[in-house]
Amino acid sequence: MGFMLNIWIFVSMGLVRFDMQLVLGAPQVPCYFSFGDSIADNGNNNNLPTIAKANYPPYGIDFPDGSTGRYTNGRNIPDFIAQLLGFDNFIPPYATARGQDIIKGVNYGSGGAGIRDETSFQLGARISFNQQLQNHGRTISRISLLHGSPTSAKDYLSKCLYTVLIGSNDYLNNYFLPQFYLTSRTYTPDQYAEVLIRQFSQQLKTLYNYGARKIALFGLGALGCIPAVIDSSGGTTCVDSVNAAVQILNDRLKPLVDDLNSQLVGAKFIYLKTSSIQSGDPTSLGIQFFTEPCCQVDSSTGLCILGSTPCSNRTQYAFYDAIHPTETVYQAYSIRAVDSVLPSDAYPMDIRHLAQL
């Protein structure tokens, strides 16, 4: 199956205008912390010994700072969420965040990361969700020093936004790679989803115990429809077995949100339902190419070939490489995650309403 990170094909229904609803004035939350995998990573893997990195051209061809480690041509989901909530600057990666930078938030995302620690080990180094939480603990200690007291820091952190985009690698770089992992021989898809949810629940309680209260969880998309997954199956259409397994996990996320909100005092967890957000006609966004990567890809990794020339009509492509979406798709997805279009997009509310609590 080669190199497969986390991917969703995002399309947005009824998005007739494609402008960003930017907030004027102060940000709607004082700080924003992002956890996740390659969908969120903005440079944390750059100096790690791993295949899973994107700090080279043609990645970042449409990003102001060029190739920063984002797995796309431009901005990614945390970038757009930060802009939509009124932040002046992008949230810095943990790897390079220094001094006062951390007050506005930190991005801990890491390509290849999973809920399970062993996920993606065959790619090399990566920062699992557990390790990201440990890094957040270090950030909290630094913020406490900057605030002068743990009490002041705790009050501040309770007002921040936290997003978690993780879980795809636990399927693509674990369960569906039997040559490297035993999970598919140990668990049925139903059992595996339950094991993941139990661990994920404990991890989210750790995040809560670090002071997080406004936490948005992103559901997984149709991983069986990623070009790299389709290619590896030898077919030309979506791989139903992958999509079916992922759906079992997604079906457990809404009950998880209910459980956490009822168990944890003051917790405000929400669930972004990717299958609803990606519903509708993608051609309304101007997308015409759905399974062809915009860049030339290395068939063994699914990533862009170093220094290759990507397509010029990038806004017409759903995928930048064989795994990750284009900025166009990320933008459409982020707009709808922040300001939902359908009641089924977000539960019990969207990111905008969560931020305003």
Side-chain angles (χ1 to χ4, degrees), residues 55 65 68 94 99 123 126 156 182 204-205 234 246:
N55 59 333
D65 298 326
T68 57
Y94 176 78
L123 302 177
R126 69 271 168 228
Y156 180 76
L182 295 173
L204 294 171
K205 288 175 183 176
V246 167

Side-chain angles (χ1 to χ4, degrees), residues 56-62 67 72-73 295 304-310 320:
Y56 60 88
Y59 290 108
I61 190 171
D62 298 311
S67 304
T72 187
N73 56 304
C295 73
C304 296
I305 294 172
L306 171 65
S308 60
T309 302
Y320 192 58

Side-chain angles (χ1 to χ4, degrees), residues 285-341:
L285 301 176
I287 294 174
Q288 298 178 23
F289 304 96
F290 303 100
T291 58
E292 304 93 336
C294 169
C295 73
Q296 294 175 267
V297 300
D298 182 324
S299 60
S300 66
T301 66
L303 295 175
C304 296
I305 294 172
L306 171 65
S308 60
T309 302
C311 65
S312 58
N313 52 337
R314 291 181 285 279
T315 58
Q316 296 177 7
Y317 279 74
F319 289 92
Y320 192 58
D321 56 21
I323 304 164
H324 304 95
T326 56
E327 180 184 62
T328 295
V329 170
Y330 280 149
Q331 183 176 34
Y333 184 91
S334 302
I335 288 172
R336 194 157 157 178
V338 172
D339 297 292
S340 60
V341 174

Side-chain angles (χ1 to χ4, degrees), residues 214-281:
K214 302 179 179 184
I215 305 166
L217 311 180
F218 286 74
L220 307 187
L223 303 183
C225 298
I226 301 168
V229 174
I230 294 172
D231 290 346
S232 70
S233 73
T236 56
T237 58
C238 297
V239 181
D240 292 340
S241 59
V242 174
N243 286 341
V246 167
Q247 189 55 44
I248 296 170
L249 181 75
N250 282 336
D251 289 342
R252 284 168 163 75
L253 289 174
K254 189 174 175 182
L256 175 63
V257 163
D258 284 335
D259 288 346
L260 293 170
N261 285 338
S262 63
Q263 292 172 20
L264 305 175
V265 176
K268 301 289 191 297
F269 285 85
I270 68 169
Y271 164 49
L272 285 312
K273 187 175 181 181
T274 296
S275 60
S276 176
I277 292 173
Q278 70 185 15
S279 65
D281 179 9

Side-chain angles (χ1 to χ4, degrees), residues 116 175 182-193 195 198:
R116 294 172 67 91
Y175 194 76
L182 295 173
T183 43
S184 63
R185 294 190 285 280
T186 307
Y187 306 110
T188 65
D190 199 72
Q191 290 169 335
Y192 189 59
V195 166
R198 280 204 300 268

Side-chain angles (χ1 to χ4, degrees), residues 61-189:
I61 190 171
D62 298 311
F63 193 76
D65 298 326
S67 304
T68 57
R70 291 163 169 84
Y71 296 74
T72 187
N73 56 304
R75 293 162 288 179
N76 62 17
I77 289 176
D79 294 331
F80 281 116
I81 290 175
Q83 288 186 307
L84 288 162
L85 293 180
F87 285 89
D88 293 331
N89 300 304
F90 298 122
I91 303 302
Y94 176 78
T96 58
R98 298 289 180 269
Q100 294 284 339
D101 288 351
I102 64 173
I103 288 292
K104 291 291 181 70
V106 176
N107 184 330
Y108 301 98
S110 170
I115 294 169
R116 294 172 67 91
D117 288 340
E118 84 273 12
T119 288
S120 303
F121 81 83
Q122 84 283 0
L123 302 177
R126 69 271 168 228
I127 309 165
S128 69
F129 190 29
N130 278 330
Q131 292 172 306
Q132 291 179 37
L133 290 168
Q134 291 172 11
N135 289 341
H136 185 56
R138 297 183 183 99
T139 298
I140 299 307
S141 298
R142 291 159 60 191
I143 288 176
S144 293
L145 289 173
L146 291 170
H147 270 263
S149 80
T151 304
S152 172
K154 188 173 182 180
D155 179 64
Y156 180 76
L157 292 165
S158 71
K159 299 180 174 70
C160 303
L161 174 70
Y162 302 78
T163 60
V164 184
L165 304 95
I166 204 150
S168 294
N169 287 312
D170 294 297
Y171 286 95
L172 297 183
N173 276 307
N174 191 320
Y175 194 76
F176 288 105
L177 284 184
Q179 63 269 45
F180 292 111
Y181 302 91
L182 295 173
T183 43
S184 63
R185 294 190 285 280
T186 307
Y187 306 110
T188 65

